[in-house]
Amino acid sequence: MFGGGGAGGLGSSFNALAAAVSASSMSGEGGSSSSSSFSSRRDLLHAMMDPGTASSLREAFDRSPSSAPSSYRHAVRHVKRVRVCVSNNENTRILFSMLRVLACNSAEIDHISRLGTYSAGPSTAAQRLFGLPVTGAPGGQPSSSSTLRTCRDIRYPINPYNERRAMELLLDITGRALSKYPTSLAQDNADLLDETAYPKYSNKRNAKLQVRGEKEVLHHFALWARTAMHVIDIILHELSEERKADNGGARATTAAHNNEELEFDYVIQAMEDDDDCHFTILRYCSDVLGAVRRDELGKHPY
């Protein structure tokens, strides 16, 4: 989706994307004309997608400018497909990386586009964000300043707010995909119990099994998104309380705050004790979101 050129940076596409997002934000805040807003969106599409796809989408904008925003959202949903399964593999990491970029606001795009532009090589923050070996760490090696990074390489959450927006986007995507099936997962399970209507080894039954498997994957990632959003909300609550304490204020003493169910460690322990909690969701919440929490709590002042 994103290309790159130029040593030490993230490439021209990232710069174009940053410019397009920035232009779109400024046009919305400054009350610019709608044609200017549509133009910035076309620039954004051009930066994000291959030339052929971007060209067809720009044509769709030009044919119906009055409906361009909704057409844009509808079109983007089908531009890039990532094949995933109930696992945490390379495609899962690519999916989450793309979601983080799509959930970026202009400031976050500017932030990640700057991380790789240091002439001496990527900073420690950039190395972790893009999944590179951290210089000076055990097993780490100096990273080449000519390494080009793309939207597939955001291997670490940008910040908890962006990560929550990414999970909201994932939940929306899975929900829309599930809504396109004529039957629900529960109905498929019920249908497969009827071996008269769906005989064993028949094409009809195999097709039903295939579709059921697709829905199981979608439900898995929908659950992942909902669980992550809940855990991130707990982290943001903890950060808010720490911010108040660091600013000299008293911690909240409400019943809600005293409820241990609002504590990160309690929730992670409950997930570990739950046999129905899939290990990929548990590991993401414990390891990835746990690392984000530690990073944010270590920042001073708030």
Side-chain angles (χ1 to χ4, degrees):
M1 289 174 70
F2 293 125
L10 293 171
S12 59
S13 292
F14 249 123
N15 295 331
L17 177 60
V21 172
S22 177
S24 178
S25 300
M26 288 188 294
S27 65
E29 294 171 1
S32 300
S33 66
S34 58
S35 61
S36 173
S37 177
F38 295 156
S39 176
S40 65
R41 289 191 179 95
R42 287 195 294 267
D43 292 339
L44 175 60
L45 292 174
H46 181 70
M48 291 177 63
M49 301 155 200
D50 62 275
T53 303
S55 176
S56 63
L57 288 172
R58 285 196 299 272
E59 290 176 5
F61 273 120
D62 294 335
R63 285 197 303 270
S64 181
S66 62
S67 60
S70 60
S71 299
Y72 160 69
R73 290 192 299 270
H74 179 74
V76 168
R77 292 169 184 169
H78 306 283
V79 166
K80 182 66 178 178
R81 291 186 180 272
V82 179
R83 297 187 180 276
V84 292
C85 59
V86 181
S87 179
N88 186 10
N89 53 26
E90 182 64 16
N91 278 7
T92 309
R93 290 185 281 275
I94 290 173
L95 168 66
F96 277 61
S97 175
M98 290 181 173
L99 288 169
R100 287 163 184 149
V101 174
L102 290 171
C104 277
N105 56 33
S106 59
E108 289 162 349
I109 284 288
D110 185 55
H111 170 68
I112 61 177
S113 66
R114 286 199 313 265
L115 283 176
T117 60
Y118 300 101
S119 58
S123 64
T124 301
Q127 290 170 347
R128 181 169 60 177
L129 184 67
F130 296 123
L132 300 172
V134 177
T135 305
Q141 298 178 356
S143 300
S144 170
S145 61
S146 62
T147 300
L148 300 176
R149 314 312 302 171
T150 73
C151 76
R152 299 157 62 96
D153 298 310
I154 310 298
R155 300 306 176 91
Y156 187 79
I158 297 170
N159 59 58
Y161 302 98
N162 173 273
E163 194 72 2
R164 195 186 194 287
R165 294 196 302 272
M167 293 301 104
E168 290 174 355
L169 182 57
L170 176 59
L171 187 60
D172 178 63
I173 291 170
T174 55
R176 282 187 282 104
L178 285 167
S179 70
K180 294 178 181 179
Y181 290 97
T183 60
S184 66
L185 177 59
Q187 183 62 53
D188 289 345
N189 288 330
D191 290 343
L192 287 169
L193 295 175
D194 185 354
E195 294 186 1
T196 301
Y198 296 90
K200 285 186 176 180
Y201 314 116
S202 66
N203 288 339
K204 185 177 181 181
R205 185 177 186 85
N206 288 338
K208 176 68 76 169
L209 288 169
Q210 170 68 27
V211 171
R212 183 182 70 170
E214 294 172 359
K215 295 174 186 175
E216 287 174 340
V217 173
L218 290 168
H219 278 285
H220 169 74
F221 280 96
L223 176 61
W224 189 326
R226 288 194 299 270
T227 304
M229 289 165 61
H230 175 65
V231 174
I232 293 172
D233 285 342
I234 291 173
I235 293 174
L236 293 176
H237 174 78
E238 291 181 338
L239 293 177
S240 175
E241 293 302 315
E242 288 293 332
R243 188 180 301 112
K244 292 177 183 177
D246 286 352
N247 289 335
R251 289 179 178 270
T253 57
T254 61
H257 176 70
N258 290 333
N259 188 344
E260 62 180 359
E261 293 183 3
L262 290 179
E263 296 179 359
F264 176 82
D265 293 335
Y266 175 89
V267 171
I268 297 301
Q269 185 60 54
M271 293 173 66
E272 291 179 347
D273 295 338
D274 185 358
D275 293 336
D276 294 328
C277 181
H278 199 275
F279 73 93
T280 57
I281 301 177
L282 171 60
R283 292 273 64 86
Y284 166 81
C285 292
S286 175
D287 299 344
V288 177
L289 296 184
V292 173
R293 174 177 176 265
R294 289 191 296 272
D295 289 345
E296 293 296 320
L297 288 173
K299 292 179 180 178
H300 295 285
Y302 276 93

